[in-house]
Amino acid sequence: MTKAAFYCGDKTFRLESVSLNQPKDEEVQIQVAYCGICGTDVHVYSGHMDQRVGTHRIIGHEMSGVIRAVGKDVNDLNIGDHVVVRPLSHCGQCSSCQRGLTHICENLVFHGLDTDGAFQEYWNVPAHTVHSLPKDLSLSYSALVEPLAVACHDVSRARVVSGEEVLVIGGGPIGMLIAMVAKEAGASVSIVEVDQERIAFAAELGFSSFDARAPELKETLLNQTKGQGFHAIFDTSGVQAGVDLFTEVAATRARICMVAIHTNKPNIDLFAFFWKELELVGARVYEPEDFEQAIKLLKSKKIDASSMITGIYPLEEIQEAFTPAKKLSMKTLVSVSPDLMEG
Ligand SMILES: [Zn+2]
Ligand SMILES: [Zn+2]
């Protein structure tokens, strides 16, 4: 028997013993080392996604681990490999899949929401979801591969190139990772955020950070770009104020990348899109190459993983991990298997 944390509805996790199942022919069995808490997991925890996930579900997908068993049809992965999972399965039949856009498959299955996930010691997953890690990359840092792959996908969708002015609206974990990836691509990056701790944190990381509530915000931001505006803008805020801001401070022919999940339809200044020939691009999850880029960035130490990890809790304290007492919370990790915990 092994341990698993089940989301049981109404902000409650329960630790249960589950039997250890051998992987199916096309699966591998991973012993989970670390699993980060995603914004989506917090939504589940808060009870907003019960219809989709139910109230007896092991969630978690921002993980790292070690392969412990390999199904008989799996050839390219071995016991002992350090790995992460790109938690998506596609149908292969729909029109998106047929165009090669399997990450936005019309019947997409998200592992850790639609199936059981990584807040358990042993996780069996289809081999096609697995990316191998270099052995010299720590397993705790590797739990950032998934959210970093989101950021890589966003930056590539916005076609950021060296020398550009980039604005990130919202300095949460994804916003911060987008800023890091854009900076690594050679852009000059500014961040707008409401939370004072996060504004200070962004400045510590070397970004120009601005208080979203400051008077004259628009003028300040335009001055930051010597009046020209930003060439690429990422909205991670999901609020009307963010939508108002991006058309105001966009340079001509700017690309605006929609990362946030807007639950309400915002008002958008479409005249600005016409006048400045702006472009709006959506970005959802990631493609395999985004995972490979994320692994490369972490390995080369071009992403400051240690400052992004603001808390690590054992699986027994998953409940506390979802309600961190710390003021500044970027990425909280759960250390799932005690014997894979790093010193
Ligand atoms: Zn996530
Ligand atoms: Zn499909």
Side-chain angles (χ1 to χ4, degrees), residues 89-98 101-108:
S89 281
H90 57 278
C91 75
Q93 309 293 321
C94 73
S95 59
S96 293
C97 283
Q98 278 172 5
L101 306 173
T102 57
H103 70 297
I104 43 175
C105 165
E106 288 157 32
N107 306 299
L108 193 72

Side-chain angles (χ1 to χ4, degrees), residues 137-155:
L137 182 59
S138 85
L139 287 167
S140 55
Y141 288 4
S142 300
L144 294 181
V145 167
E146 195 265 5
L148 185 57
V150 170
C152 290
H153 189 63
D154 299 338
V155 171

Side-chain angles (χ1 to χ4, degrees), residues 231-281:
H231 304 108
I233 303 177
F234 297 85
D235 179 22
T236 73
S237 74
V239 296
Q240 181 65 49
V243 174
D244 291 337
L245 184 63
F246 66 55
T247 46
E248 285 174 352
V249 299
T252 49
R253 285 222 173 158
R255 289 89 55 203
I256 295 162
C257 185
M258 188 49 61
V259 179
I261 301 171
H262 279 269
T263 44
N264 298 314
K265 277 188 192 174
N267 281 313
I268 303 179
D269 179 5
L270 289 178
F271 177 76
F273 277 81
F274 160 76
W275 194 251
K276 296 198 268 190
E277 291 198 347
L278 304 181
E279 209 179 312
L280 184 62
V281 290

Side-chain angles (χ1 to χ4, degrees), residues 157-192:
R157 289 285 292 149
R159 310 192 303 277
V160 172
V161 295
S162 188
E164 287 192 317
E165 291 285 348
V166 163
L167 177 66
V168 180
I169 304 174
I174 291 295
M176 219 60 87
L177 289 170
I178 290 171
M180 289 180 185
V181 175
K183 187 178 172 189
E184 192 40 45
S188 160
V189 183
S190 301
I191 298 178
V192 168

Side-chain angles (χ1 to χ4, degrees), residues 4 38 57 78 83 88 101 117 125 164 177 197-198 204 206 238 255 264-265 280 287 298 306 308 316 321 332 335 341:
C38 177
R57 171 69 77 203
N78 298 297
V83 293
L88 308 177
L101 306 173
V125 295
E164 287 192 317
L177 289 170
E197 307 274 331
R198 287 179 170 182
E204 268 168 45
R255 289 89 55 203
N264 298 314
K265 277 188 192 174
L280 184 62
E287 296 176 83
L298 282 171
S306 67
M308 281 300 290
E316 289 72 18
T332 303
S335 164
M341 184 156 184

Side-chain angles (χ1 to χ4, degrees), residues 33-34 62-65 82-85 133-148 291 295 298 305 309 333 342:
Y34 292 92
E62 299 187 354
M63 56 70 71
S64 63
H82 289 196
V83 293
V84 290
V85 169
L133 296 168
K135 278 257 161 76
D136 57 352
L137 182 59
S138 85
L139 287 167
S140 55
Y141 288 4
S142 300
L144 294 181
V145 167
E146 195 265 5
L148 185 57
F291 259 68
I295 292 167
L298 282 171
I309 298 170
L333 305 187
E342 290 160 356

Side-chain angles (χ1 to χ4, degrees), residues 59-81:
I59 61 171
H61 59 271
E62 299 187 354
M63 56 70 71
S64 63
V66 180
I67 293 185
R68 295 300 185 210
V70 175
K72 78 169 171 43
D73 294 343
V74 180
N75 302 315
D76 49 348
L77 295 165
N78 298 297
I79 290 173
D81 287 357

